[in-house]
Amino acid sequence: MADFLDINKTSPEDLRAIIDTAQAMKIARQGAKRGTFDAEQPLSDHMVALIFEKPSTRTRVSFDVGVRQMGGQTMTLSGAELQLGHGETIADTARVLSRYVDLIMIRTFDESVLLELSEYAEVPVINGLTDRTHPCQIMADVMTYEEHRGPIAGKKVVWSGDGNNVCASFLHAAGRFGFDFTFTGPHQFDPEDAFVGEARRAGSKVTIERDPVKAVEDADLIVTDTWVSMHDSQSTKERRHNTLRPYQVNDALMAHAKPDALFMHCLPAHREDEVTSSVMDGPNSVIWDEAENRLHAQKAIMRWCLGV
Ligand code: CP
Ligand code: NVA
């Protein structure tokens, strides 16, 4: 049994095995009716707790559906429903939940909550997003890239905009899967040095380029995300939008990348802010496959965590 806390905490071999399992499970389901169970039921007799301290559409629904397809059951809990925010320590919550459930997925604010939960839980814990990282998303993104274009190793991925939690997990993945990563955005939105340094030490060519047009030259994949994440104060919205506006992914920017460059966004997107509808709905966009692959990738992550 193992936790899935971050991409840099999982070995490259295990990450590759997870992607392979996800792809195989996706293919095995092809032709299956929506709502049907998988032929294999590796999670039968398993109860999975899904804890959300922030809103979610994709993570919530894809984990829930994934568990059910594999024969398990879920309970979805909001932070407010638990005693988490009302004085009971995370450690004590972890000990108690471990007596009831077989796996815990948590979306929270501060990374310390995830880490403390995993330290004290006796069952595997999965990171469903913190203020710092979003590893399940990037497993789906790597899977999606490879489905469309083959191995991601050696490719050039460009992140345009805010160097946020999703960007951080991309940097983790750059080191683990061996692709080049260029960040383009204003300096105050740079990804943390720790993420950049680690990716470089792992052998990835990481570039910080302020000029978005230069950044996307020869890009194989262009990615962006919201300019205001759930952990960002709404009072900073106007300033963030004004500063990040030059990094919008639009047709003009896409035209400077390779002609077959893919576009990804973890969603939810803010159309005409970080990305135009013309790009989101255009021929290079794979955002719906990306969203679907959350389901398949997370099913494989859960199997890996539980060893089933
Ligand atoms: N991409 C993603 O994690 O979406 P949700 O916030 O809807 O779960
Ligand atoms: N960066 C975004 C991702 C949402 C899936 C956020 O944290 O709000």
Side-chain angles (χ1 to χ4, degrees):
M1 296 218 296
D3 294 330
F4 188 76
L5 300 181
D6 269 316
I7 287 179
N8 67 332
K9 292 179 179 164
T10 309
S11 73
E13 297 73 30
D14 284 358
L15 293 169
R16 177 51 62 194
I18 290 169
I19 301 268
D20 289 349
T21 302
Q23 196 63 53
M25 290 183 81
K26 179 174 182 176
I27 290 166
R29 274 196 72 78
Q30 271 168 5
K33 278 213 316 281
R34 199 180 287 276
T36 51
F37 300 118
D38 291 355
E40 264 191 286
Q41 297 276 280
L43 261 61
S44 62
D45 296 327
H46 285 76
M47 179 58 78
V48 179
L50 306 173
I51 305 174
F52 289 92
E53 297 198 281
K54 289 175 177 168
S56 167
T57 299
R58 279 142 288 268
T59 306
R60 185 184 182 115
V61 178
S62 58
F63 264 104
D64 202 334
V65 169
V67 171
R68 289 163 196 256
Q69 285 180 355
M70 295 193 291
Q73 298 194 56
T74 60
M75 64 180 65
T76 303
L77 305 158
S78 73
E81 278 165 337
L82 297 174
Q83 300 282 12
L84 266 179
H86 308 284
E88 184 165 29
T89 66
I90 308 296
D92 290 350
T93 305
R95 291 180 180 111
V96 171
L97 287 180
S98 302
R99 300 291 174 106
Y100 302 136
V101 304
D102 303 292
L103 178 67
I104 302 169
M105 191 289 310
I106 182 165
R107 166 169 288 194
T108 188
F109 288 87
D110 202 292
E111 184 179 54
S112 63
V113 174
L114 169 79
L115 298 179
E116 196 174 337
L117 194 73
S118 77
E119 186 178 345
Y120 291 96
E122 286 154 26
V123 298
V125 173
I126 296 176
N127 176 359
L129 178 146
T130 69
D131 295 356
R132 270 192 105 208
T133 59
H134 195 7
C136 292
Q137 178 68 53
I138 280 37
M139 292 299 281
D141 292 4
V142 169
M143 177 181 172
T144 307
Y145 183 86
E146 297 197 334
E147 249 176 18
H148 284 268
R149 295 282 184 269
I152 198 167
K155 300 294 182 187
K156 177 177 173 180
V157 176
V158 179
W159 180 279
S160 186
D162 180 17
N164 63 14
N165 44 3
V166 180
C167 178
S169 285
F170 250 114
L171 277 159
H172 281 160
R176 285 305 207 220
F177 289 96
F179 55 85
D180 297 344
F181 191 85
T182 297
F183 170 82
T184 186
H187 67 88
Q188 60 270 50
F189 296 105
D190 280 353
E192 282 178 42
D193 289 344
F195 294 123
V196 173
E198 192 179 338
R200 284 183 176 147
R201 283 192 298 280
S204 167
K205 183 179 164 213
V206 180
T207 307
I208 309 285
E209 169 57 64
R210 301 289 166 218
D211 179 347
V213 170
K214 276 194 200 148
V216 301
E217 267 169 29
D218 290 324
D220 296 289
L221 169 62
I222 296 178
V223 195
T224 191
D225 186 15
T226 180
W227 290 337
V228 187
S229 282
M230 291 181 273
H231 58 270
D232 292 319
S233 159
Q234 281 298 318
S235 66
T236 61
K237 182 174 170 180
E238 194 179 331
R239 181 174 53 81
R240 296 176 73 91
H241 274 232
N242 290 337
T243 317
L244 286 157
R245 182 77 53 196
Y247 296 92
Q248 181 191 66
V249 180
N250 49 37
D251 290 325
L253 190 64
M254 288 297 290
H256 291 279
K258 283 187 182 163
D260 69 345
L262 296 179
F263 171 75
M264 286 192 202
H265 188 310
C266 65
L267 307 178
H270 302 80
R271 288 173 179 261
E272 320 317 330
D273 285 338
E274 71 269 11
V275 58
T276 57
S277 287
S278 59
V279 171
M280 276 183 73
D281 303 326
N284 298 41
S285 171
V286 289
I287 55 174
W288 311 124
D289 292 339
E290 188 186 359
E292 176 184 337
N293 284 339
R294 293 292 303 280
L295 169 68
H296 308 294
Q298 289 158 190
K299 285 169 73 177
I301 289 168
M302 288 188 277
R303 291 188 72 165
W304 176 81
C305 287
L306 291 163
V308 294

